[in-house]
Amino acid sequence: MDCYEAANNQSTIHRSTTRDEGEMSLGAGLKSDCILNSCGEKPDIAALVHFATSTGGLVNDEVRRQAWPLLLGYMPYKKTGSTESARWQDLPRHKDEDQVRLDVDRSFIYYPKNQSEPQLDRRKRELSAVITQVLREQPILSYFQGFHDIAQVFLLVLGVDDAAAAVSQLSLLRIRDFMLPSLEPSIAHLHLLPSILEAECPKLRLHLSQTQPFFALAATLTLYAHDIQEYSDIARLFDFFLAHGAVVSVYFFAIIILSRREELFEIPADEPEMLHSVLSKLPKPLDLEALIAQTVSLYRKFPPEKLPFRAWAKISQYSVLKTTTEDFRQQTLSDGVVYFDLQVAQLRRREMRRKAMATLWKHRRLAGRVGLAVLVGAIAIWLGKGGVESYATMVFRRLWEKGRGY
């Protein structure tokens, strides 16, 4: 039996109720060996993606410690510890560290289990160190509540010495949209949901049309780490997410919605508050393996670029949704910083455009005297020069003075 057969047979082994534990261990052991072989000096990323997606994922944390860094796009390495620690601790304090402290105090609620108070306190100190190191080394990032839920999974899987490198890679290259100074890019992820539902089940999309997709924010923002309470489940789900582009997390939530269609159809469409309440809580228990398999199938059936309503075209070209579609494991942290800066500049232009159009609407009567189209065109040209606000103010001041006869 070769390694790919082992991965495929794992599905039978996991679901079987007749095989004994020895057979199951043998299957998992063979798969583990195959995965570790794929993590050698010349990693077989395609094989790792296959294994991470197959039933049971990457099997256990020993294997994950080798495979996760490779799936994130960097080679695992050993740090010297004290030298590295002293370096980041001497960096300027990040603006969000007070919020980090508050969130870390609320961490490790569900796992690890059977920990004493001193053990939990040590875990929290380690988690605080990992998050603080990432933020100080990448000060452009904006912390968000729930980031600690993600970081604690990496801490438990990789250990305190290696977690920060992985979380940095994740932050700049996989969840960058969530760490920008605006929530707008995060919301853009959610607006793919109606399009995915329309592609697969138009009736369900119509039924939910009065309910904004904000119900998915907490789950997608934290890669479901805020909602899933079993450590083995969230580690297995991270196997899947790290193996694929960022958009897969949105497809996963769409599958959860589709799996609840009968329940949702029982709630009237004109009760969006009730629908929001139901959808904002993940069903329990989650059949992760079935959901993952269905997510892969849905993604292949309706890839992002083929979604209706031009949903994909509305996503920024700098969003992680698009920068993690092809060859993204070749990207470096420096690439992530470049994308970050481009996204920030794009957000600022959009905000200036909104302010300019709001000013235009406010003075629409005066605008009519010189021609609305002319003004809009002038503002559009000036947008490219970054001077919208001052230019719009100047134009309307002159119009006002002209109207007053000055």
Side-chain angles (χ1 to χ4, degrees):
M1 182 188 299
D2 64 21
C3 287
Y4 278 89
E5 287 178 318
N8 291 329
N9 285 347
Q10 193 72 357
S11 299
T12 304
I13 293 171
H14 265 262
R15 288 195 294 266
S16 175
T17 57
T18 59
R19 296 178 184 267
D20 61 25
E21 291 184 2
E23 286 181 290
M24 294 179 71
S25 298
L26 177 63
L30 176 58
K31 186 179 181 183
S32 297
D33 291 342
C34 291
I35 297 171
L36 291 174
N37 287 338
S38 301
C39 297
E41 291 185 9
K42 296 182 178 180
D44 187 343
I45 300 300
L48 291 178
V49 169
H50 174 78
F51 290 128
T53 307
S54 66
T55 302
L58 297 176
V59 184
N60 58 51
D61 285 356
E62 180 182 356
V63 175
R64 291 184 178 105
R65 280 190 280 274
Q66 300 299 316
W68 276 16
L70 298 173
L71 289 174
L72 280 166
Y74 72 98
M75 294 294 292
Y77 56 92
K78 296 294 183 181
K79 295 182 179 180
T80 57
S82 58
T83 303
E84 186 73 14
S85 177
R87 189 182 73 78
W88 72 258
Q89 287 181 347
D90 290 338
L91 293 173
R93 180 181 171 86
H94 190 276
K95 60 183 177 60
D96 296 328
E97 287 186 31
D98 288 340
Q99 185 61 53
V100 171
R101 178 177 53 81
L102 294 173
D103 284 355
V104 167
D105 286 343
R106 296 190 290 264
S107 61
F108 301 109
I109 300 299
Y110 303 115
Y111 50 78
K113 297 178 180 179
N114 303 318
Q115 298 271 294
S116 66
E117 282 299 321
Q119 288 174 319
L120 284 175
D121 287 342
R122 177 177 61 82
R123 294 281 192 189
K124 291 178 179 180
R125 289 194 299 272
E126 291 173 347
L127 179 59
S128 178
V130 168
I131 297 174
T132 303
Q133 179 178 344
V134 171
L135 294 177
R136 289 190 182 184
E137 290 181 346
Q138 308 295 340
I140 59 174
L141 297 174
S142 294
Y143 176 85
F144 62 90
Q145 287 185 275
F147 182 78
H148 71 290
D149 293 313
I150 298 174
Q152 75 178 22
V153 178
F154 279 90
L155 171 63
L156 293 173
V157 171
L158 301 179
V160 65
D161 291 334
D162 298 312
V167 174
S168 289
Q169 198 85 0
L170 182 89
S171 299
L172 276 170
L173 300 176
R174 299 295 193 93
I175 61 170
R176 180 179 62 249
D177 293 4
F178 307 153
M179 308 194 77
L180 289 160
S182 167
L183 193 60
E184 184 179 329
S186 304
I187 300 300
H189 288 224
L190 307 184
H191 286 303
L192 287 178
L193 282 171
S195 298
I196 300 172
L197 295 178
E198 174 69 18
E200 177 66 14
C201 184
K203 181 180 177 181
L204 182 57
R205 197 280 307 169
L206 182 62
H207 186 72
L208 299 177
S209 60
Q210 298 182 51
T211 306
Q212 292 295 316
F214 302 138
F215 50 74
L217 184 60
T220 55
L221 199 66
T222 63
L223 300 182
Y224 302 81
H226 180 72
D227 298 276
I228 293 179
Q229 299 177 7
E230 290 295 328
Y231 173 68
S232 59
D233 287 345
I234 191 60
R236 192 276 170 270
L237 188 58
F238 273 30
D239 293 343
F240 175 57
F241 287 156
L242 297 184
H244 298 276
V247 74
V248 165
S249 174
V250 183
Y251 276 79
F252 185 80
F253 202 98
I255 284 294
I256 292 176
I257 297 174
L258 289 162
S259 71
R260 309 177 74 181
R261 70 183 81 189
E262 292 184 6
E263 174 189 5
L264 296 170
F265 280 135
E266 292 178 356
I267 303 172
D270 59 359
E271 293 188 14
E273 295 85 1
M274 179 64 71
L275 287 166
H276 178 95
S277 177
V278 170
L279 288 166
S280 62
K281 300 178 181 66
L282 298 186
K284 296 179 182 178
L286 283 175
D287 186 348
L288 282 181
E289 299 303 341
L291 292 171
I292 287 170
Q294 291 165 22
T295 299
V296 172
S297 177
L298 183 65
Y299 181 88
R300 290 173 177 169
K301 186 178 179 182
F302 303 110
E305 61 273 12
K306 293 185 179 180
L307 291 175
F309 309 139
R310 298 187 69 253
W312 193 240
K314 297 174 184 176
I315 299 296
S316 166
Q317 68 268 41
Y318 310 125
S319 167
V320 293
L321 295 173
K322 288 188 174 177
T323 61
T324 59
T325 54
E326 296 180 2
D327 299 327
F328 57 90
R329 291 185 179 87
Q330 304 301 317
Q331 296 171 13
T332 66
L333 293 180
S334 297
D335 294 325
V337 171
V338 170
Y339 281 129
F340 187 100
D341 290 339
L342 288 169
Q343 281 181 281
V344 169
Q346 188 177 63
L347 288 168
R348 286 174 178 167
R349 288 195 299 272
R350 288 176 181 172
E351 181 60 23
M352 289 192 295
R353 185 180 297 114
R354 281 193 287 266
K355 288 182 178 180
M357 298 313 294
T359 305
L360 183 64
W361 178 253
K362 181 179 179 181
H363 299 280
R364 58 192 180 280
R365 292 183 180 178
L366 289 173
R369 298 180 184 179
V370 296
L372 183 62
V374 173
L375 276 181
V376 171
I379 290 176
I381 292 172
W382 196 257
L383 272 170
K385 301 178 181 179
V388 174
E389 207 164 4
S390 59
Y391 179 78
T393 302
M394 177 191 71
V395 168
F396 289 117
R397 185 179 70 248
R398 291 181 178 177
L399 280 172
W400 177 257
E401 291 173 351
K402 183 176 180 181
R404 295 288 297 271
Y406 294 156

